[in-house]
Amino acid sequence: MIEITIKRPDDWHVHLRDGAMMNAVLPYTARQFHRAIIMPNLNKPITTPRMANEYKKRILNSLEVHAENYEFMPLMTCYLTDETSGAIISEGFKGGHFFAAKLYPANATTNSSMGVTDIKKLSSVFSVMEQLGMPLLIHGEVSDSSIDIFDREYVFIKKILIPLIKEFPKLKIVLEHITTKEAVEFVRLNRKQVSATITAHHLIINRTSIFEGGINPHRYCLPIPKREVHRLSLREAATSGDLCFFLGTDTAPHRINDKESSCGCAGIFTAVNALELYTQVFEEEKALANFEKFASLNGSAFYGLKANEDKVILIKEKWHVPGLIPVSDGSSIIPYKAGETLDWKMKP
Ligand code: NCD
Ligand code: ZN
């Protein structure tokens, strides 16, 4: 039997949601990963240390009830708004309540209406973060409706990010869920200061995949998948083993009715099969030897944490992805590649 053993990975970008939805999805993330950075874009965003603490308690409580067998550590983030102050950031980071802060340009993605309207408003916050050594996680898309949706990452890099790193050269930045070759190049060029997460789905689908045989809402996420040339560049970056690229699933569950709708939500749910999807990509790229770097070593090194001690094993064995994941409120979630067969399976 073919199998690979790697140190337990961490997921550096996860949406756990809250309540019944969290209870349904958390066991899947906790089964595969030891630590995860928890995105703060709840319906009511996490903007204060107290909110982060309460949310963390709800996560740990859900873990105890629904996934007691897993050791899992949520790392909490602060949702930046126009009103965020340096004092709140400093209090939250020093007190261990915030691990990082997340910048959503206002209206760029799901639950981002309270995001930042003008990055200049946050200059004093970035100065404080720079001094504290607190990482800034960025949803790197402009939300200007006049910019073509497929160009929004590239325009963000050019107009916002390049000036930002010049102004705050010591600010540690993660460009989240990158989707373009320009982002890959930007990160490599500025690797002393910037790293990037890469999702499994952006390594697998391109923009044409969304329309294969008809419009498929379960392949719709933001940033939107781009042309094939970009997918190939992401595959090269992820599988290179390069320190500045690491795993972040951006698993983003939505109820089936919110996806299969006249105005469907953005987000792909990969918590069920994330490691298996990534392993397949690394195998196809003949880069299984670099998988541990991308999944388990590069991210913790960037964040100044130790790699995990325990291991996970992936076996080359076919299995079927469940068709849907039930939520206790009667709704359900359709996972990415629902009902399809995968070649790799994480050992239980
Ligand atoms: C995410 C969500 O649903 O919260 N959606 C997505 O398409 N990735 C938000 C985000 O990370 O952009
Ligand atoms: Zn996300």
Side-chain angles (χ1 to χ4, degrees), residues 24-37:
V25 303
L26 174 59
Y28 292 102
T29 291
R31 188 177 85 88
Q32 299 207 325
F33 301 99
H34 178 48
R35 294 164 292 203
I37 292 189

Side-chain angles (χ1 to χ4, degrees), residues 13 15 17 39 41 102 104 108-111 139 141 177 201-202 220-223 250-254 265-268:
H13 184 128
H15 299 271
R17 315 301 191 202
M39 288 298 128
N41 64 331
K102 177 75 191 253
Y104 291 102
T109 187
T110 307
N111 290 343
H139 183 107
E141 287 191 289
H177 40 52
H201 49 274
H202 286 112
Y220 171 56
C221 67
L222 289 171
D250 193 20
T251 173
H254 291 276
C265 293
I268 296 181

Side-chain angles (χ1 to χ4, degrees), residues 28-250:
Y28 292 102
T29 291
R31 188 177 85 88
Q32 299 207 325
F33 301 99
H34 178 48
R35 294 164 292 203
I37 292 189
I38 313 302
M39 288 298 128
N41 64 331
L42 301 185
N43 294 338
K44 192 164 180 229
I46 304 297
T47 53
T48 65
R50 190 175 161 175
M51 289 173 90
N53 255 338
E54 285 167 0
Y55 185 29
K56 185 176 184 176
K57 276 192 207 145
R58 295 198 297 280
I59 296 169
L60 294 176
N61 184 51
S62 171
L63 195 70
E64 216 173 284
V65 178
H66 299 278
E68 55 177 343
N69 299 334
Y70 307 123
E71 238 181 75
F72 175 72
M73 193 190 291
L75 303 168
M76 310 309 291
T77 53
C78 173
Y79 182 115
L80 297 174
T81 72
D82 288 351
E83 266 73 57
T84 307
S85 69
I88 282 276
I89 286 292
S90 178
E91 179 200 330
F93 187 69
K94 286 183 180 159
H97 312 298
F98 296 149
F99 180 73
K102 177 75 191 253
L103 170 69
Y104 291 102
N107 303 314
T109 187
T110 307
N111 290 343
S112 63
S113 62
M114 295 203 15
V116 175
T117 59
D118 179 0
I119 195 151
K120 290 194 187 73
K121 294 189 175 162
L122 286 185
S123 288
S124 63
V125 167
F126 295 151
S127 286
V128 170
M129 291 178 67
E130 195 174 34
Q131 282 159 27
L132 292 169
M134 179 178 183
L136 174 66
L137 318 182
I138 300 185
H139 183 107
E141 287 191 289
V142 291
S143 53
D144 181 343
S145 59
S146 69
I147 307 289
D148 189 284
I149 189 168
F150 296 97
D151 296 334
R152 287 181 189 174
E153 183 174 278
Y154 173 59
V155 172
F156 185 90
I157 292 170
K158 227 173 49 179
K159 290 217 170 128
I160 312 283
L161 213 41
I162 292 177
L164 184 74
I165 63 168
K166 281 208 182 105
E167 196 179 344
F168 301 99
K170 296 241 151 58
L171 183 59
K172 270 175 84 164
I173 292 175
V174 182
L175 187 53
E176 300 283 350
H177 40 52
I178 57 170
T179 60
T180 55
K181 69 177 177 18
E182 288 82 7
V184 168
E185 283 156 16
F186 170 80
V187 171
R188 281 209 166 111
L189 209 60
N190 298 286
R191 56 193 312 138
K192 283 207 182 101
Q193 184 176 4
V194 185
S195 287
T197 53
I198 305 181
T199 75
H201 49 274
H202 286 112
L203 296 171
I204 300 171
I205 58 178
N206 61 26
R207 65 187 201 175
T208 301
S209 317
I210 304 168
F211 306 98
E212 219 175 271
I215 190 162
N216 185 336
H218 303 291
R219 293 181 185 170
Y220 171 56
C221 67
L222 289 171
I224 195 143
K226 309 295 192 295
R227 284 178 185 279
E228 179 64 357
V229 59
H230 298 289
R231 187 185 73 99
L232 295 177
S233 170
L234 297 174
R235 281 171 85 100
E236 183 283 316
T239 60
S240 67
D242 218 337
L243 260 174
C244 52
F245 302 108
F246 44 84
L247 186 156
T249 62
D250 193 20

Side-chain angles (χ1 to χ4, degrees), residues 3-8 291-292 310-314:
E3 58 173 54
I4 61 162
T5 304
I6 57 169
K7 281 180 189 278
R8 181 172 296 277
F291 186 44
E292 188 178 51
D310 69 324
K311 307 264 168 93
V312 297
I313 300 173
L314 287 132

